[in-house]
Amino acid sequence: MMETSFQTPRSTWNAAEARMSFFRKPITNKRPEAKAMTLFEVYDYVRNGWARLETEALRHFDDHDEARKYKAEHFDYVTPSGVFAYCNDQSLLRHSGLMCIDLDGLGERCEELFRLLVDDKQMETLLLFRSPSGDGLKWFVHIDLERCDHKTWFKALRNYLMASYHLTEKQVDAACANVSRACFLPHDPEAYLRTDLIKHF
């Protein structure tokens, strides 16, 4: 049974040392690049416009299915929860100690929730940026695997987000539970990274 509080992690985990696999588009490419990425490198990629044109193009789609197809074909991605030999749960080489939760369909609440998550007192936000569609968020936090396993953490965080921020089950993407969950890398010039991680690099 997981403890009620998210505070006081037992491990000596260091966010600056966390690594995740990076994959070139399209999503059907399951072989990672040789060099894994840090949180700072993901932040730098998202802020500095590597996917600016693709992000702008995606946000002009009216058809949901066409938008999904475009996203799958045109965006690089990472596996936030670790380094993988291949993009599936069985090919995990090393867990990053990170979890990225997708918040979808936020509409007018997107910017409000961005600010609230940056200031969250229970779970410290390490990295946060808007999703490729512009209607959601990608929320990166540390999970201490000495306390419970990956899927238990996901369930706890999902329940926490729904209860604390009045989000629906649909808005907190249940597909994020698997350890090899992909996170597309859009363009967000106002992405947030914890201050000491910026200074570290």
Side-chain angles (χ1 to χ4, degrees), residues 47-95:
R47 276 179 54 91
N48 285 330
W50 295 105
R52 181 177 62 82
L53 295 178
E54 292 83 354
T55 303
E56 290 174 354
L58 177 67
R59 293 178 184 179
H60 283 92
F61 278 85
D62 293 323
D63 184 277
H64 179 71
D65 291 336
E66 287 298 317
R68 286 187 63 184
K69 182 180 178 182
Y70 181 88
K71 182 170 62 174
E73 293 176 353
H74 292 85
F75 286 83
D76 296 333
Y77 69 98
V78 292
T79 46
S81 289
V83 176
F84 292 78
Y86 187 85
C87 190
N88 62 31
D89 287 3
Q90 295 71 39
S91 300
L92 176 66
L93 300 175
R94 185 172 68 256
H95 201 290

Short mmCIF file of all heavy atoms in Angstrom, two decimals, residues 47-95:
data_model
loop_
_atom_site.label_atom_id
_atom_site.label_comp_id
_atom_site.label_asym_id
_atom_site.label_seq_id
_atom_site.Cartn_x
_atom_site.Cartn_y
_atom_site.Cartn_z
N ARG A 47 11.99 24.15 -26.13
CA ARG A 47 12.02 25.62 -26.13
C ARG A 47 12.62 26.21 -27.42
O ARG A 47 12.20 27.27 -27.86
CB ARG A 47 12.83 26.13 -24.94
CG ARG A 47 12.04 26.23 -23.66
CD ARG A 47 12.91 26.73 -22.53
NE ARG A 47 13.58 27.98 -22.84
CZ ARG A 47 13.08 29.19 -22.56
NH1 ARG A 47 11.90 29.29 -21.97
NH2 ARG A 47 13.76 30.28 -22.84
N ASN A 48 13.58 25.52 -27.98
CA ASN A 48 14.38 26.14 -29.03
C ASN A 48 13.90 25.90 -30.45
O ASN A 48 14.63 26.16 -31.41
CB ASN A 48 15.85 25.74 -28.89
CG ASN A 48 16.51 26.49 -27.73
OD1 ASN A 48 16.13 27.61 -27.42
ND2 ASN A 48 17.48 25.87 -27.09
N GLY A 49 12.70 25.39 -30.60
CA GLY A 49 12.07 25.43 -31.91
C GLY A 49 12.37 24.33 -32.89
O GLY A 49 12.09 24.47 -34.09
N TRP A 50 12.92 23.20 -32.43
CA TRP A 50 13.19 22.09 -33.35
C TRP A 50 11.90 21.59 -33.99
O TRP A 50 11.92 21.07 -35.11
CB TRP A 50 13.91 20.96 -32.61
CG TRP A 50 15.27 21.33 -32.14
CD1 TRP A 50 15.65 21.60 -30.86
CD2 TRP A 50 16.44 21.51 -32.95
NE1 TRP A 50 16.98 21.94 -30.81
CE2 TRP A 50 17.49 21.88 -32.08
CE3 TRP A 50 16.71 21.38 -34.31
CZ2 TRP A 50 18.79 22.14 -32.53
CZ3 TRP A 50 18.00 21.63 -34.77
CH2 TRP A 50 19.01 22.00 -33.88
N ALA A 51 10.78 21.72 -33.29
CA ALA A 51 9.50 21.25 -33.84
C ALA A 51 8.51 22.40 -33.99
O ALA A 51 7.30 22.20 -33.96
CB ALA A 51 8.91 20.16 -32.94
N ARG A 52 9.02 23.60 -34.19
CA ARG A 52 8.13 24.77 -34.26
C ARG A 52 7.17 24.67 -35.45
O ARG A 52 5.95 24.86 -35.30
CB ARG A 52 8.94 26.06 -34.35
CG ARG A 52 8.07 27.32 -34.42
CD ARG A 52 8.92 28.58 -34.43
NE ARG A 52 9.78 28.64 -35.60
CZ ARG A 52 9.37 29.07 -36.82
NH1 ARG A 52 8.11 29.46 -36.99
NH2 ARG A 52 10.21 29.12 -37.82
N LEU A 53 7.68 24.39 -36.64
CA LEU A 53 6.83 24.34 -37.83
C LEU A 53 5.81 23.22 -37.73
O LEU A 53 4.64 23.39 -38.10
CB LEU A 53 7.69 24.18 -39.08
CG LEU A 53 8.63 25.35 -39.40
CD1 LEU A 53 9.46 25.04 -40.64
CD2 LEU A 53 7.83 26.63 -39.61
N GLU A 54 6.23 22.06 -37.21
CA GLU A 54 5.32 20.93 -37.06
C GLU A 54 4.22 21.23 -36.05
O GLU A 54 3.06 20.87 -36.25
CB GLU A 54 6.09 19.68 -36.63
CG GLU A 54 7.05 19.13 -37.68
CD GLU A 54 8.40 19.83 -37.70
OE1 GLU A 54 8.59 20.84 -36.97
OE2 GLU A 54 9.28 19.38 -38.45
N THR A 55 4.59 21.90 -34.95
CA THR A 55 3.61 22.25 -33.92
C THR A 55 2.58 23.24 -34.47
O THR A 55 1.37 23.10 -34.25
CB THR A 55 4.31 22.83 -32.69
OG1 THR A 55 5.26 21.88 -32.20
CG2 THR A 55 3.32 23.17 -31.59
N GLU A 56 3.05 24.23 -35.19
CA GLU A 56 2.14 25.21 -35.78
C GLU A 56 1.21 24.56 -36.79
O GLU A 56 0.00 24.85 -36.82
CB GLU A 56 2.95 26.32 -36.46
CG GLU A 56 3.68 27.22 -35.47
CD GLU A 56 4.58 28.23 -36.16
OE1 GLU A 56 4.72 28.17 -37.40
OE2 GLU A 56 5.15 29.09 -35.45
N ALA A 57 1.74 23.64 -37.59
CA ALA A 57 0.91 22.95 -38.59
C ALA A 57 -0.15 22.09 -37.91
O ALA A 57 -1.33 22.10 -38.30
CB ALA A 57 1.79 22.09 -39.50
N LEU A 58 0.24 21.35 -36.88
CA LEU A 58 -0.69 20.46 -36.19
C LEU A 58 -1.88 21.24 -35.61
O LEU A 58 -3.02 20.76 -35.66
CB LEU A 58 0.03 19.72 -35.06
CG LEU A 58 -0.83 18.80 -34.20
CD1 LEU A 58 -1.34 17.61 -35.01
CD2 LEU A 58 -0.05 18.31 -32.98
N ARG A 59 -1.63 22.41 -35.08
CA ARG A 59 -2.68 23.19 -34.42
C ARG A 59 -3.67 23.82 -35.39
O ARG A 59 -4.64 24.43 -34.97
CB ARG A 59 -2.04 24.23 -33.50
CG ARG A 59 -1.32 23.54 -32.33
CD ARG A 59 -0.62 24.50 -31.41
NE ARG A 59 0.12 23.76 -30.38
CZ ARG A 59 0.85 24.31 -29.43
NH1 ARG A 59 0.96 25.64 -29.37
NH2 ARG A 59 1.49 23.56 -28.54
N HIS A 60 -3.44 23.63 -36.69
CA HIS A 60 -4.40 24.10 -37.69
C HIS A 60 -5.32 23.00 -38.19
O HIS A 60 -6.22 23.26 -38.99
CB HIS A 60 -3.65 24.73 -38.88
CG HIS A 60 -3.13 26.10 -38.59
ND1 HIS A 60 -1.87 26.34 -38.11
CD2 HIS A 60 -3.73 27.32 -38.69
CE1 HIS A 60 -1.69 27.64 -37.94
NE2 HIS A 60 -2.81 28.26 -38.28
N PHE A 61 -5.11 21.76 -37.71
CA PHE A 61 -5.97 20.66 -38.13
C PHE A 61 -7.32 20.75 -37.44
O PHE A 61 -7.40 20.96 -36.23
CB PHE A 61 -5.32 19.31 -37.80
CG PHE A 61 -4.30 18.84 -38.80
CD1 PHE A 61 -2.98 19.26 -38.74
CD2 PHE A 61 -4.66 17.98 -39.82
CE1 PHE A 61 -2.04 18.83 -39.65
CE2 PHE A 61 -3.74 17.54 -40.75
CZ PHE A 61 -2.42 17.97 -40.66
N ASP A 62 -8.38 20.55 -38.19
CA ASP A 62 -9.73 20.49 -37.62
C ASP A 62 -10.17 19.05 -37.38
O ASP A 62 -10.96 18.77 -36.48
CB ASP A 62 -10.73 21.18 -38.54
CG ASP A 62 -10.49 22.68 -38.62
OD1 ASP A 62 -10.13 23.27 -37.59
OD2 ASP A 62 -10.63 23.25 -39.72
N ASP A 63 -9.67 18.14 -38.19
CA ASP A 63 -10.04 16.73 -38.10
C ASP A 63 -9.14 16.01 -37.09
O ASP A 63 -7.92 15.99 -37.24
CB ASP A 63 -9.94 16.07 -39.48
CG ASP A 63 -10.42 14.63 -39.46
OD1 ASP A 63 -9.62 13.74 -39.09
OD2 ASP A 63 -11.60 14.40 -39.80
N HIS A 64 -9.75 15.44 -36.04
CA HIS A 64 -8.99 14.80 -34.97
C HIS A 64 -8.14 13.64 -35.47
O HIS A 64 -6.97 13.50 -35.09
CB HIS A 64 -9.96 14.31 -33.88
CG HIS A 64 -9.28 13.62 -32.75
ND1 HIS A 64 -8.50 14.28 -31.82
CD2 HIS A 64 -9.25 12.30 -32.38
CE1 HIS A 64 -8.02 13.42 -30.93
NE2 HIS A 64 -8.46 12.21 -31.25
N ASP A 65 -8.70 12.80 -36.33
CA ASP A 65 -7.97 11.64 -36.84
C ASP A 65 -6.78 12.06 -37.69
O ASP A 65 -5.70 11.47 -37.62
CB ASP A 65 -8.89 10.72 -37.63
CG ASP A 65 -9.91 10.03 -36.74
OD1 ASP A 65 -9.62 9.88 -35.52
OD2 ASP A 65 -10.99 9.65 -37.23
N GLU A 66 -6.98 13.08 -38.50
CA GLU A 66 -5.89 13.58 -39.34
C GLU A 66 -4.79 14.20 -38.47
O GLU A 66 -3.59 14.05 -38.77
CB GLU A 66 -6.42 14.61 -40.34
CG GLU A 66 -7.23 14.01 -41.47
CD GLU A 66 -6.41 13.06 -42.33
OE1 GLU A 66 -5.26 13.39 -42.65
OE2 GLU A 66 -6.93 11.97 -42.66
N ALA A 67 -5.19 14.87 -37.42
CA ALA A 67 -4.21 15.46 -36.50
C ALA A 67 -3.38 14.37 -35.82
O ALA A 67 -2.15 14.50 -35.70
CB ALA A 67 -4.93 16.31 -35.45
N ARG A 68 -4.02 13.31 -35.39
CA ARG A 68 -3.30 12.20 -34.75
C ARG A 68 -2.30 11.57 -35.71
O ARG A 68 -1.17 11.24 -35.34
CB ARG A 68 -4.28 11.14 -34.26
CG ARG A 68 -5.05 11.54 -33.02
CD ARG A 68 -5.87 10.39 -32.48
NE ARG A 68 -5.02 9.29 -32.06
CZ ARG A 68 -5.48 8.12 -31.61
NH1 ARG A 68 -6.77 7.90 -31.54
NH2 ARG A 68 -4.64 7.18 -31.23
N LYS A 69 -2.73 11.39 -36.95
CA LYS A 69 -1.85 10.81 -37.96
C LYS A 69 -0.65 11.71 -38.22
O LYS A 69 0.49 11.24 -38.30
CB LYS A 69 -2.64 10.58 -39.26
CG LYS A 69 -1.83 9.94 -40.37
CD LYS A 69 -2.67 9.75 -41.62
CE LYS A 69 -1.83 9.16 -42.75
NZ LYS A 69 -2.62 9.01 -44.00
N TYR A 70 -0.90 13.00 -38.33
CA TYR A 70 0.18 13.97 -38.57
C TYR A 70 1.18 13.94 -37.40
O TYR A 70 2.40 13.93 -37.61
CB TYR A 70 -0.39 15.37 -38.75
CG TYR A 70 0.66 16.41 -39.03
CD1 TYR A 70 1.08 16.67 -40.33
CD2 TYR A 70 1.26 17.13 -37.99
CE1 TYR A 70 2.07 17.61 -40.59
CE2 TYR A 70 2.25 18.07 -38.23
CZ TYR A 70 2.64 18.30 -39.55
OH TYR A 70 3.63 19.23 -39.80
N LYS A 71 0.66 13.94 -36.18
CA LYS A 71 1.52 13.93 -35.00
C LYS A 71 2.40 12.69 -34.97
O LYS A 71 3.61 12.77 -34.69
CB LYS A 71 0.66 14.01 -33.74
CG LYS A 71 1.44 14.05 -32.44
CD LYS A 71 0.55 14.37 -31.26
CE LYS A 71 -0.51 13.33 -31.03
NZ LYS A 71 -1.29 13.58 -29.79
N ALA A 72 1.83 11.56 -35.28
CA ALA A 72 2.57 10.29 -35.26
C ALA A 72 3.69 10.28 -36.30
O ALA A 72 4.72 9.62 -36.09
CB ALA A 72 1.62 9.13 -35.50
N GLU A 73 3.51 11.00 -37.37
CA GLU A 73 4.48 10.98 -38.46
C GLU A 73 5.54 12.07 -38.39
O GLU A 73 6.62 11.93 -38.95
CB GLU A 73 3.75 11.09 -39.80
CG GLU A 73 2.88 9.88 -40.13
CD GLU A 73 2.08 10.06 -41.42
OE1 GLU A 73 2.12 11.18 -41.99
OE2 GLU A 73 1.45 9.08 -41.86
N HIS A 74 5.25 13.17 -37.65
CA HIS A 74 6.09 14.35 -37.76
C HIS A 74 6.80 14.80 -36.48
O HIS A 74 7.52 15.80 -36.50
CB HIS A 74 5.27 15.52 -38.31
CG HIS A 74 4.86 15.34 -39.73
ND1 HIS A 74 3.73 14.64 -40.10
CD2 HIS A 74 5.43 15.76 -40.89
CE1 HIS A 74 3.61 14.64 -41.43
NE2 HIS A 74 4.63 15.31 -41.91
N PHE A 75 6.61 14.08 -35.36
CA PHE A 75 7.23 14.52 -34.12
C PHE A 75 8.19 13.47 -33.57
O PHE A 75 7.85 12.29 -33.46
CB PHE A 75 6.16 14.81 -33.06
CG PHE A 75 5.40 16.09 -33.30
CD1 PHE A 75 4.33 16.12 -34.17
CD2 PHE A 75 5.78 17.27 -32.67
CE1 PHE A 75 3.62 17.29 -34.41
CE2 PHE A 75 5.08 18.45 -32.90
CZ PHE A 75 4.00 18.47 -33.77
N ASP A 76 9.40 13.93 -33.20
CA ASP A 76 10.31 13.08 -32.44
C ASP A 76 9.70 12.83 -31.06
O ASP A 76 8.79 13.56 -30.64
CB ASP A 76 11.67 13.77 -32.26
CG ASP A 76 12.40 14.00 -33.58
OD1 ASP A 76 12.17 13.24 -34.54
OD2 ASP A 76 13.20 14.96 -33.63
N TYR A 77 10.21 11.82 -30.36
CA TYR A 77 9.65 11.52 -29.04
C TYR A 77 10.70 10.95 -28.10
O TYR A 77 11.78 10.53 -28.52
CB TYR A 77 8.45 10.59 -29.16
CG TYR A 77 8.73 9.16 -29.61
CD1 TYR A 77 8.84 8.12 -28.68
CD2 TYR A 77 8.85 8.82 -30.96
CE1 TYR A 77 9.06 6.81 -29.06
CE2 TYR A 77 9.07 7.51 -31.36
CZ TYR A 77 9.17 6.51 -30.41
OH TYR A 77 9.40 5.20 -30.80
N VAL A 78 10.37 10.96 -26.81
CA VAL A 78 11.20 10.35 -25.78
C VAL A 78 10.37 9.35 -24.97
O VAL A 78 9.13 9.37 -25.03
CB VAL A 78 11.80 11.40 -24.82
CG1 VAL A 78 12.83 12.26 -25.53
CG2 VAL A 78 10.72 12.26 -24.17
N THR A 79 11.08 8.51 -24.23
CA THR A 79 10.43 7.63 -23.25
C THR A 79 10.87 8.13 -21.86
O THR A 79 11.92 7.75 -21.37
CB THR A 79 10.84 6.16 -23.45
OG1 THR A 79 12.28 6.09 -23.63
CG2 THR A 79 10.17 5.57 -24.68
N PRO A 80 10.08 9.01 -21.24
CA PRO A 80 10.50 9.69 -20.01
C PRO A 80 10.92 8.76 -18.88
O PRO A 80 11.77 9.12 -18.06
CB PRO A 80 9.27 10.50 -19.63
CG PRO A 80 8.58 10.76 -20.92
CD PRO A 80 8.76 9.50 -21.72
N SER A 81 10.35 7.57 -18.81
CA SER A 81 10.60 6.71 -17.66
C SER A 81 11.85 5.85 -17.78
O SER A 81 12.11 5.03 -16.90
CB SER A 81 9.38 5.83 -17.37
OG SER A 81 8.33 6.63 -16.86
N GLY A 82 12.62 6.04 -18.84
CA GLY A 82 13.87 5.31 -18.86
C GLY A 82 14.57 5.20 -20.19
O GLY A 82 14.16 5.76 -21.20
N VAL A 83 15.65 4.44 -20.13
CA VAL A 83 16.47 4.12 -21.31
C VAL A 83 16.08 2.73 -21.78
O VAL A 83 16.01 1.78 -20.98
CB VAL A 83 17.97 4.20 -20.97
CG1 VAL A 83 18.83 3.77 -22.15
CG2 VAL A 83 18.33 5.60 -20.51
N PHE A 84 15.83 2.61 -23.07
CA PHE A 84 15.32 1.36 -23.66
C PHE A 84 16.20 0.91 -24.82
O PHE A 84 16.77 1.74 -25.54
CB PHE A 84 13.90 1.57 -24.18
CG PHE A 84 12.87 1.79 -23.10
CD1 PHE A 84 12.75 3.03 -22.48
CD2 PHE A 84 12.04 0.76 -22.70
CE1 PHE A 84 11.81 3.24 -21.49
CE2 PHE A 84 11.09 0.95 -21.70
CZ PHE A 84 10.99 2.19 -21.08
N ALA A 85 16.27 -0.41 -25.02
CA ALA A 85 16.92 -0.96 -26.21
C ALA A 85 15.97 -0.89 -27.40
O ALA A 85 16.39 -0.83 -28.55
CB ALA A 85 17.34 -2.40 -25.95
N TYR A 86 14.68 -0.90 -27.09
CA TYR A 86 13.60 -0.87 -28.09
C TYR A 86 12.39 -0.31 -27.36
O TYR A 86 12.28 -0.45 -26.14
CB TYR A 86 13.33 -2.30 -28.59
CG TYR A 86 12.37 -2.42 -29.74
CD1 TYR A 86 12.81 -2.27 -31.05
CD2 TYR A 86 11.03 -2.71 -29.53
CE1 TYR A 86 11.94 -2.40 -32.12
CE2 TYR A 86 10.14 -2.83 -30.59
CZ TYR A 86 10.60 -2.68 -31.88
OH TYR A 86 9.73 -2.80 -32.95
N CYS A 87 11.50 0.34 -28.08
CA CYS A 87 10.38 1.00 -27.39
C CYS A 87 9.25 0.02 -27.07
O CYS A 87 8.22 -0.01 -27.73
CB CYS A 87 9.85 2.17 -28.22
SG CYS A 87 8.67 3.18 -27.29
N ASN A 88 9.47 -0.78 -26.04
CA ASN A 88 8.39 -1.55 -25.42
C ASN A 88 8.79 -1.85 -23.97
O ASN A 88 9.96 -1.69 -23.60
CB ASN A 88 8.07 -2.83 -26.20
CG ASN A 88 9.22 -3.81 -26.28
OD1 ASN A 88 10.06 -3.89 -25.39
ND2 ASN A 88 9.28 -4.55 -27.38
N ASP A 89 7.82 -2.24 -23.16
CA ASP A 89 8.06 -2.40 -21.73
C ASP A 89 9.12 -3.46 -21.43
O ASP A 89 9.83 -3.36 -20.43
CB ASP A 89 6.75 -2.78 -21.02
CG ASP A 89 5.77 -1.62 -20.92
OD1 ASP A 89 6.08 -0.53 -21.44
OD2 ASP A 89 4.69 -1.81 -20.33
N GLN A 90 9.23 -4.46 -22.28
CA GLN A 90 10.15 -5.56 -22.04
C GLN A 90 11.61 -5.18 -22.31
O GLN A 90 12.53 -5.91 -21.93
CB GLN A 90 9.78 -6.77 -22.92
CG GLN A 90 8.43 -7.40 -22.60
CD GLN A 90 7.25 -6.54 -23.01
OE1 GLN A 90 7.28 -5.91 -24.07
NE2 GLN A 90 6.22 -6.49 -22.18
N SER A 91 11.83 -4.03 -22.96
CA SER A 91 13.18 -3.65 -23.37
C SER A 91 13.78 -2.53 -22.52
O SER A 91 14.73 -1.86 -22.94
CB SER A 91 13.17 -3.23 -24.85
OG SER A 91 12.72 -4.29 -25.66
N LEU A 92 13.22 -2.33 -21.33
CA LEU A 92 13.75 -1.32 -20.42
C LEU A 92 15.15 -1.72 -19.94
O LEU A 92 15.35 -2.83 -19.42
CB LEU A 92 12.82 -1.17 -19.21
CG LEU A 92 13.29 -0.21 -18.11
CD1 LEU A 92 13.33 1.24 -18.61
CD2 LEU A 92 12.38 -0.33 -16.88
N LEU A 93 16.11 -0.83 -20.11
CA LEU A 93 17.47 -1.06 -19.63
C LEU A 93 17.69 -0.42 -18.26
O LEU A 93 18.36 -0.99 -17.40
CB LEU A 93 18.49 -0.50 -20.62
CG LEU A 93 18.45 -1.08 -22.04
CD1 LEU A 93 19.43 -0.35 -22.95
CD2 LEU A 93 18.76 -2.57 -22.01
N ARG A 94 17.13 0.76 -18.06
CA ARG A 94 17.33 1.49 -16.81
C ARG A 94 16.20 2.49 -16.61
O ARG A 94 15.96 3.34 -17.46
CB ARG A 94 18.67 2.23 -16.85
CG ARG A 94 19.05 2.92 -15.56
CD ARG A 94 20.47 3.47 -15.61
NE ARG A 94 20.63 4.59 -16.54
CZ ARG A 94 21.19 4.51 -17.73
NH1 ARG A 94 21.65 3.34 -18.19
NH2 ARG A 94 21.31 5.58 -18.51
N HIS A 95 15.53 2.37 -15.48
CA HIS A 95 14.45 3.31 -15.17
C HIS A 95 15.05 4.67 -14.81
O HIS A 95 16.07 4.75 -14.13
CB HIS A 95 13.59 2.79 -14.02
CG HIS A 95 12.22 3.39 -13.96
ND1 HIS A 95 12.01 4.72 -13.60
CD2 HIS A 95 10.98 2.87 -14.22
CE1 HIS A 95 10.71 4.98 -13.65
NE2 HIS A 95 10.06 3.88 -14.02
#
